[in-house]
Amino acid sequence: MSKTRLSLFTWIMLPVYIWQGVRLRQRIERLLPPNVPPTGKLGSKEPSFKLLVIGDSSVASVGMERFEHTFAYNIADKVHDKTGRAVKWRAAGNNSATAADLRDYVLPHIEERDFTHVILAVGINDMKNFHAISTFKQTFGTLLYALRTRYPSAKIIWTPVPDMTGFPVLPKQLAKILAARATLINHQGEQLCHERGVVYSEPVPVETDAGFARDGFHAGPEGYRIWGEHLVDYILADEAENLVKVSDQPPAGQSELKSG
């Protein structure tokens, strides 16, 4: 289906979206962010990777209770595990945040400037708020400008909206409407990423209900583990092949012992 027809379909189905959406909001559990630090570090040496993970409730890791279940931790853990290098991260996630919210109210208050990588998770609230694609183009596009200007040396990666038809809490018709809006959001976002020097990652795969929190909408511990594994290849894409773990290397000035 063409983008024009897809957009027309979603606007025709807007009354169904409102009706089913209101009913869903009345019964869905409202999860809160965990009471955990927004920063952390893995490894004892000077960090080779300094990650900023910025976005909506996924970055806030709502519904999680343990530090190691959060989104930013899982990204850092996968990078550390694959490279053996120290990783430091800062999570800046907010419930219901849109691209405009991140641009205007979150990004200006992040003081650190030395991030090597920025992971951006936004779009799902722009989608479910039925923001016009022209509005998303303007707000997301200027958010990318702001990120690129503030962190000129960082590799910026956008993780777009996943397949909404795989979300267990969504009624079938509502999921279909949201999936159509997600396709439009992701198509526009991908174009802007290519134009503005940002890496577009494919949407994280939604395979089973096991990846969701108890509300059936947000990710759970398994979902964040899968998401971290999905993103690590994009983070390390420009690294040298066959990374050697620092922990496996002999101390400086010493050679490995050989038998015989």
Side-chain angles (χ1 to χ4, degrees):
M1 186 182 297
S2 70
K3 298 299 183 295
T4 301
R5 293 180 64 186
L6 199 61
S7 179
L8 181 60
F9 161 76
T10 64
W11 287 109
I12 291 173
M13 296 295 289
L14 182 58
V16 177
Y17 167 79
I18 295 173
W19 174 61
Q20 291 197 345
V22 169
R23 293 185 63 189
L24 179 62
R25 285 181 66 88
Q26 290 174 342
R27 65 180 177 85
I28 193 171
E29 181 180 3
R30 295 284 291 176
L31 302 180
L32 299 176
N35 185 22
V36 298
T39 61
K41 181 185 174 185
L42 293 171
S44 58
K45 296 185 178 181
E46 181 68 21
S48 298
F49 299 90
K50 299 178 182 179
L51 312 180
L52 170 62
V53 186
I54 180 173
D56 50 35
S57 56
S58 59
V59 179
S61 299
V62 298
M64 300 299 97
E65 297 178 355
R66 298 172 58 179
F67 192 47
E68 60 268 29
H69 289 165
T70 60
F71 184 36
Y73 177 92
N74 272 274
I75 299 172
D77 181 59
K78 300 307 178 289
V79 173
H80 177 64
D81 182 63
K82 196 162 186 177
T83 66
R85 302 175 188 174
V87 183
K88 183 179 179 181
W89 75 91
R90 161 82 156 91
N94 294 267
N95 278 348
S96 304
T98 63
D101 294 329
L102 296 181
R103 180 196 63 195
D104 297 340
Y105 304 114
V106 179
L107 183 59
H109 299 287
I110 299 173
E111 296 181 357
E112 302 95 327
R113 299 291 183 116
D114 62 342
F115 296 109
T116 60
H117 297 76
V118 177
I119 312 301
L120 174 62
V122 70
I124 198 165
N125 292 308
D126 297 88
M127 171 206 67
K128 69 182 183 68
N129 292 349
F130 247 75
H131 287 179
I133 300 306
S134 59
T135 299
F136 180 73
K137 178 180 180 180
Q138 193 276 331
T139 57
F140 184 73
T142 49
L143 171 61
L144 296 186
Y145 277 144
L147 287 168
R148 175 54 63 209
T149 302
R150 192 175 181 93
Y151 311 113
S153 300
K155 181 178 185 179
I156 302 172
I157 303 169
W158 179 47
T159 178
V161 183
D163 180 11
M164 303 305 295
T165 61
F167 282 49
V169 75
L170 296 177
K172 187 174 182 180
Q173 281 186 312
L174 181 59
K176 187 176 180 180
I177 297 167
L178 288 175
R181 296 301 299 178
T183 297
L184 296 169
I185 287 284
N186 289 350
H187 175 76
Q188 181 63 74
E190 181 178 12
Q191 182 179 355
L192 289 168
C193 285
H194 290 325
E195 292 174 356
R196 301 181 185 187
V198 173
V199 176
Y200 172 86
S201 75
E202 291 298 321
V204 60
V206 179
E207 297 174 347
T208 68
D209 292 357
F212 289 87
R214 63 181 181 270
D215 67 348
F217 187 84
H218 292 94
E222 178 65 9
Y224 285 129
R225 183 192 65 78
I226 293 170
W227 208 345
E229 289 180 346
H230 175 71
L231 287 172
V232 70
D233 290 335
Y234 291 95
I235 294 171
L236 301 179
D238 53 355
E239 294 288 307
E241 295 183 1
N242 301 319
L243 290 168
V244 178
K245 288 191 175 183
V246 174
S247 57
D248 292 338
Q249 298 181 22
Q254 298 183 23
S255 60
E256 294 182 279
L257 296 177
K258 299 182 179 179
S259 60

